[in-house]
Amino acid sequence: MLILALDTAWRTASAALCQNGKILAYRERDSEMNHSKTILPTAEELLAQQGISLDQTDLFAATAGPGSFTGLRIGVAAIKGYAWALDKPCAAVSSLESAAWAAREHEGLLCAAVLARADEFFYAFFENREGRIRRLTEDRADRAQRIAEEIRRRGEIPWLTGTGAEGLLEYCNGLETQVWLAQGCRQNAAAAALCAWQGAQEGRLIDCHELKPLYLRLSQAERMKQNNQDIERKAGK
């Protein structure tokens, strides 16, 4: 099975090709969130480099969230377009599960983290045993203090991974919570491709119509709209 995966969940856009659980090629660009101009050329360059045509791909995967609202929409839209045009299946990969796969060299408990805002993080716990990643919790959002409390309750020192790992490390150090940093490990298209490969083996694929961004929380515009509606309801009483 040949997989093309895209990641646009944060400022660096990346693309990867994976065949039967092995990464064939990987490219990334620090586009400073300008993914609409960079992700498709990056994917095209990757395919051309390997001498592979788009229609040879068996599965398309996107890092679907959580992460940048705009970035997620761009990556998901690209994968939906590929899959719809070629009538191929899709895989929606959690940014946090991708971050866990990026830390697959680290055995034991993994805590994947992505900054949400201020001292709040998207996070999830995973277990890595002999290079196989198993999810322990759903993706969720909470303040650093509450995440540190959960880490202490688990009784095992976790490896922090993901683009929010260093930020969460600082909070954990300040809260006297012992953690280890999986240096340089973050969500990316190669890790997403490996996650999609495992998902394919477990029958967790979807079609292009089911593929949607996974935000976990409302956007700022939606929060403002909700607040205005609440104000209007209270004023009408």
Side-chain angles (χ1 to χ4, degrees):
M1 175 178 281
L2 183 63
I3 301 171
L4 173 64
L6 304 182
D7 181 295
T8 54
W10 70 304
R11 62 176 286 159
T12 298
S14 59
L17 280 169
C18 172
Q19 188 162 41
N20 299 330
K22 296 185 181 299
I23 301 300
L24 297 180
Y26 175 80
R27 292 179 74 90
E28 70 175 26
R29 290 183 181 178
D30 187 349
S31 58
E32 297 182 354
M33 301 306 297
N34 196 12
H35 300 322
S36 60
K37 292 184 177 180
T38 60
I39 191 58
L40 293 182
T42 300
E44 290 166 4
E45 290 168 8
L46 188 74
L47 290 163
Q49 179 189 54
Q50 296 298 308
I52 294 172
S53 62
L54 194 62
D55 60 5
Q56 290 178 275
T57 304
D58 300 302
L59 171 63
F60 295 99
T63 301
S68 158
F69 282 63
T70 302
L72 294 175
R73 286 194 292 269
I74 291 168
V76 166
I79 288 299
K80 284 173 74 76
Y82 286 150
W84 178 82
L86 296 171
D87 193 23
K88 298 291 179 71
C90 298
V93 178
S94 158
S95 304
L96 299 172
E97 193 162 358
S98 173
W101 273 92
R104 61 192 177 278
E105 300 300 322
H106 300 282
E107 189 87 359
L109 183 65
L110 304 173
C111 178
V114 173
L115 182 65
R117 58 176 182 264
D119 67 338
E120 186 176 86
F121 294 82
F122 299 117
Y123 75 105
F125 287 93
F126 300 85
E127 182 181 54
N128 178 22
R129 301 298 178 196
E130 298 180 353
R132 190 167 184 85
I133 306 299
R134 184 171 71 90
R135 178 182 285 275
L136 301 179
T137 70
E138 294 301 311
D139 294 354
R140 48 200 173 181
D142 213 333
R143 297 173 70 89
Q145 182 175 346
R146 290 177 62 87
I147 300 172
E149 291 170 357
E150 184 171 353
I151 289 172
R152 290 195 294 271
R153 287 197 302 271
R154 288 187 172 273
E156 180 180 353
I157 301 172
W159 290 96
L160 298 184
T161 180
T163 52
E166 292 187 3
L168 185 56
L169 173 68
E170 292 183 12
Y171 282 105
C172 286
N173 288 341
L175 296 167
E176 298 182 349
T177 301
Q178 190 171 1
V179 294
W180 291 318
L181 178 65
Q183 189 71 43
C185 295
R186 53 173 172 76
Q187 61 271 26
N188 61 73
L194 293 174
C195 183
W197 165 251
Q198 178 170 297
Q201 307 314 297
E202 298 171 353
R204 293 188 285 114
L205 301 182
I206 57 177
D207 65 30
C208 62
H209 305 292
E210 298 174 280
L211 181 60
K212 298 177 182 178
L214 307 173
Y215 296 131
L216 284 191
R217 63 179 175 87
L218 298 176
S219 68
Q220 183 177 359
E222 289 171 320
R223 291 197 304 272
M224 291 176 65
K225 179 180 178 180
Q226 191 175 73
N227 288 339
N228 290 336
Q229 290 173 339
D230 290 341
I231 292 171
E232 290 173 1
R233 278 196 296 268
K234 291 177 181 178
K237 289 183 178 179

